[in-house]
Amino acid sequence: MKRTIAALLIAAAALPLIAMGGSESGVETVTVWHSNSGKAGAAFDQIVEDFNATIGKEKGIEIEPVYQGLANDVLTKVKAAASADLSSLPDIAQMDATSCLDMMNADYLITIDELGFDTSILLPQAVEAFSSYKGLLGLPFSCSLLLAYYDKTLFDSLGLEPPRTLDELTGIAPLIGAKDSSGKVTRYAMAGVPTTYELGAFIGAQEGLSYFVDNENGHAGTPTEVLFGKEGTFRNFLEHWKKLADTGYLNSIGSGTTTEFAAGRTAIILASSSSLTRILADVSGRFEVGTAFVPMTDEDATGGVNIGGDALFCFSGSDAVKTVLGYLTSPDVQMMWAKETGYIAVNTGIYDDPDYIGFLKENPAYSKAVEEMHASNPKVVGIWLPSAYQIYYSFQSNVMDVAEGNKSIDQAVDDMVATVQDALDTYAAANID
Amino acid sequence: MSKRNLKAYAYLAPALLLAILFSYIPLAESIVSSFLRISQNGAVRGFAGLGNYAGLFRSEAFLRSVGHTIIFALLFLPLNTVLTIAAAAATRRKGKWTAVAEFIFISPMAVSLAAYAMIFKEMFRGRVSIISRILSTDIAWLESPGTAMLVLAMLGVFLDFGIDYILILSGFRSIERDVLDAAELDGAGSLRMLFSIELPMIRTIISATIFMAVKDALLISAPVMILTEGGPFRSTETVMYFYYLEAFKSGNRAVESTIATLSAAVSMLSMALIAIRRKHALKDI
């Protein structure tokens, strides 16, 4: 059964290639699998079109972009392609942190160091996010982090500042929330269920720097031991989160938080800084959208947030690939990408550009993300775990169960430690010598 | 071997070849793999004994997925059986408008599963979905565990409805006219006719559709992938979806083989049980 599905996946992945027909002779094609859709998709298509019409035409290189679904779907397809036949791999795949552990241990990956690509101009925090003991796994392309979005009109009318800690949020929850005459909540203080991504900040920030798992969250080597249990960081988060839930103004929904926010049914949400343009479009001026640092568990949680986003992972080391990488991280492309999507530009060359400075000034919501990045400990890095997709949903279920009172905090911590430790053990037994 | 036998084997050969290539060899491979440790690239790293099985039964998510599959089957089977029989029974006599009804009931077959799953996803999306508007509620169908499973079961019914309807309808229509005439002469009313004469006469077809529905319920995965992705909060993760996650998202090859082996064992066991029962049933006659 798996073979059949693998074959189908590859066939589906290859379909756009066949549809496009073979490339003209003398033109080298660089296939890029990506996950950009919506506004980002249109921007990415434009970036590719520009390349093919200018630099590409001069040098005889053509980028062939292939949309492969969400970031995690790209990883799924890369692994399926690699296990079937290495030649079906793309030249470049745009993936996020959830793919890093697999890529770190994949013998078919060509690291950026092996490519000999100069990264000195790139944002150090973004480079750190994809660095491992084997070198830089992928070239940072887009950089984002967790940000708090709030209804600034509402906060201003109440004379409130966005909360800095979860306890502060719990304190003001009844003020920013609202109920109708029958006692039904019409506006929640916060909506969402934190999972791996959000916990990266909630746990990572504690005591200035806390890791989920050993080996610096997997960056210094394949993780072997769960730390968030014995260090009490997950418990600490759950205790604060439960207090917030007990106010009755927490809406524990696993998806659709931005819709709830845009509809005015929740005062604060946590979302990636890269969602900025979409959220602004959804709200479409009904109220002023403010952005703020993520409210942390307590005053001692000073580490800030981890840098996320996407990197370009290479499976071919040709000069054409290097040219494409250089183009995609070039000042012009990064400037356009940042403006269109809300991602932080990874090319520091544009940080002195009056155009970029002007853009930041005009978009305070965007510049908050940059500010938060500089205020964060660069060692608070993304969590590289095996079975990341499943662990993501396990965290989500457990946090939701605690918030809704279906599970005790003790039980949730024990269950998550067991789940993650099991995943680490299974992975190590199968993949590590 | 006689010439006649040879001819029979020649006819059988293509099917047998396909079965060996795509069912039996992979199955044998899965069984062997379930006792090994295998890397993501397919390299065998050693012998695992019963470790993969033990790990699977330790996994909360796997055990839950078994529970979800059973809940799905319990929702889907009665709904599917009752609705298809009711629709077929209501249109079993050819009349002026039955062709229209038949067309409506059969048409779900003409659209792909993925398309229907997407349509369902749109109809039930969010708190202000089309369905919630029609029913004037504010239920977020796909965001609460109970209702998401219900929507999944409804989608399942929708997907199986066309084929089951055709089978049962043709069953009804193939009943000999004289049997019905005789019953009518004896004064059987239409309900009596349906429950005492017609349904018993087509029970083999009904059991065949139920059998197919059981198989569909236990193997459900594609609608889950599109409609709910196992959510919300892993509440619609079925065994086959869990298998998909292990195999393709997480790349745990040995775990994947273990699940495949277990499900093959379960289906073989149930086939054997059915075969034994049929043998007894035949003896009774």
Side-chain angles (χ1 to χ4, degrees), chain A residues 73 390 394 429 431 433, chain B residues 37 40 45 234 249-250 253:
Chain A
D73 296 328
Q390 281 156 296
S394 288
N431 295 290
D433 290 312
Chain B
R37 287 187 290 122
Q40 294 205 353
R45 309 299 296 246
R234 308 195 85 168
K249 290 284 179 196
S250 305
R253 290 195 165 209

Side-chain angles (χ1 to χ4, degrees), chain B residues 63-221:
Chain B
L63 296 176
R64 281 193 180 191
S65 77
V66 173
H68 296 150
T69 310
I70 293 170
I71 293 172
F72 175 80
L74 291 179
L75 278 172
F76 168 77
L77 285 174
L79 259 180
N80 188 54
T81 314
V82 170
L83 286 178
T84 44
I85 291 178
T91 54
R92 69 193 193 279
R93 304 265 183 273
K94 276 197 174 140
K96 210 172 169 187
W97 298 105
T98 43
V100 178
E102 278 169 36
F103 173 76
I104 292 172
F105 289 145
I106 295 169
S107 58
M109 278 176 69
V111 179
S112 79
L113 180 159
Y116 269 125
M118 288 304 291
I119 293 170
F120 265 66
K121 197 171 183 169
E122 283 309 315
M123 288 198 310
F124 288 95
R125 188 194 290 278
R127 203 164 283 280
V128 281
S129 61
I130 300 168
I131 298 294
S132 289
R133 285 241 173 133
I134 292 172
L135 301 175
S136 50
T137 64
D138 64 345
I139 298 174
W141 296 90
L142 295 175
E143 268 116 64
S144 11
T147 50
M149 187 57 103
L150 193 66
V151 174
L152 190 66
M154 290 189 329
L155 175 61
V157 170
F158 215 73
L159 294 171
D160 271 12
F161 192 89
I163 182 74
D164 288 356
Y165 171 78
I166 288 182
L167 286 173
I168 296 173
L169 185 72
S170 53
F172 274 128
R173 297 229 171 119
S174 65
I175 297 173
E176 300 279 345
R177 193 64 232 172
D178 28 341
V179 178
L180 300 178
D181 287 346
E184 225 164 53
L185 278 180
D186 285 343
S190 64
L191 274 183
R192 184 67 195 253
M193 190 99 119
L194 177 66
F195 287 105
S196 302
I197 311 284
E198 293 174 81
L199 283 177
M201 286 194 78
I202 62 164
R203 67 175 190 278
T204 46
I205 291 179
I206 292 178
S207 59
T209 56
I210 291 177
F211 189 72
M212 281 185 351
V214 170
K215 180 210 76 168
D216 284 348
L218 297 183
L219 294 182
I220 183 152
S221 56

